[in-house]
């Protein structure tokens, strides 16, 4: 179940726009909702999500996003993501995903990760 979550976050470090969009499309269900503290409003389209992730890539060139911890319950997954510069974690986020048929239907992010020491 975490494969699509890692695929989604792999897109955050992908400079090639077409490859980034392909990764996002592979991870997300046809209908989805994405939100985090910086989105301002829910993102519900592939174009909108691709644009949002592309802003991260443009503003933090060379940074990557890596799943460092994940656990699940039924069709839900809680994931801690490290946003890394030159391999070093600079910030963390906690994400809760709803999954269906191996794809992400809802992904909500929160700043930080209580108790993470990585």
């Amino acid at each position: 179940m975490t494969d699509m979550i890692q695929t989604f976050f792999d897109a955050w470090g992908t400079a090639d726009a077409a490859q980034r969009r392909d990764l996002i499309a592979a991870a997300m269900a046809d209908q989805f909702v994405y939100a985090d503290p910086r989105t301002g409003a829910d993102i519900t389209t592939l174009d909108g999500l691709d644009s949002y992730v592309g802003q991260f890539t443009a503003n933090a060139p060379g940074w990557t996003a890596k799943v460092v911890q994940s656990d699940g319950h039924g069709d839900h997954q809680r994931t801690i993501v490290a946003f890394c510069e030159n391999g070093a974690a600079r910030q963390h986020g906690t994400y809760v995903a709803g999954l269906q048929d191996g794809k992400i239907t809802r992904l909500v992010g929160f700043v930080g990760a209580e108790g993470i020491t990585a």
Side-chain angles (χ1 to χ4, degrees):
M1 288 288 202
T2 61
D3 291 347
M4 285 301 111
I5 295 170
Q6 183 59 62
T7 297
F8 174 74
F9 284 106
D10 285 346
W12 289 64
T14 303
D16 180 274
Q19 184 180 12
R20 181 178 57 246
R21 185 180 179 89
D22 287 347
L23 288 168
I24 295 168
M28 305 307 285
D30 290 338
Q31 294 183 342
F32 65 84
V33 175
Y34 176 88
D36 72 29
R38 293 187 176 131
T39 60
D42 290 351
I43 298 173
T44 60
T45 67
L46 183 59
D47 286 343
L49 190 53
D50 180 44
S51 176
Y52 181 71
V53 175
Q55 290 174 15
F56 171 84
T57 305
N59 291 326
W63 281 48
T64 59
K66 176 183 166 188
V67 171
V68 294
Q69 184 178 336
S70 195
D71 63 337
H73 175 66
D75 288 334
H76 296 87
Q77 197 75 27
R78 178 180 58 179
T79 302
I80 307 298
V81 176
F83 294 92
C84 303
E85 179 183 29
N86 299 319
R90 298 294 182 208
Q91 58 188 4
H92 288 89
T94 301
Y95 292 81
V96 177
L99 305 165
Q100 186 174 32
D101 299 324
K103 299 271 192 151
I104 301 168
T105 58
R106 176 175 284 281
L107 189 59
V108 180
F110 302 86
V111 174
E114 189 66 32
I116 295 297
T117 59

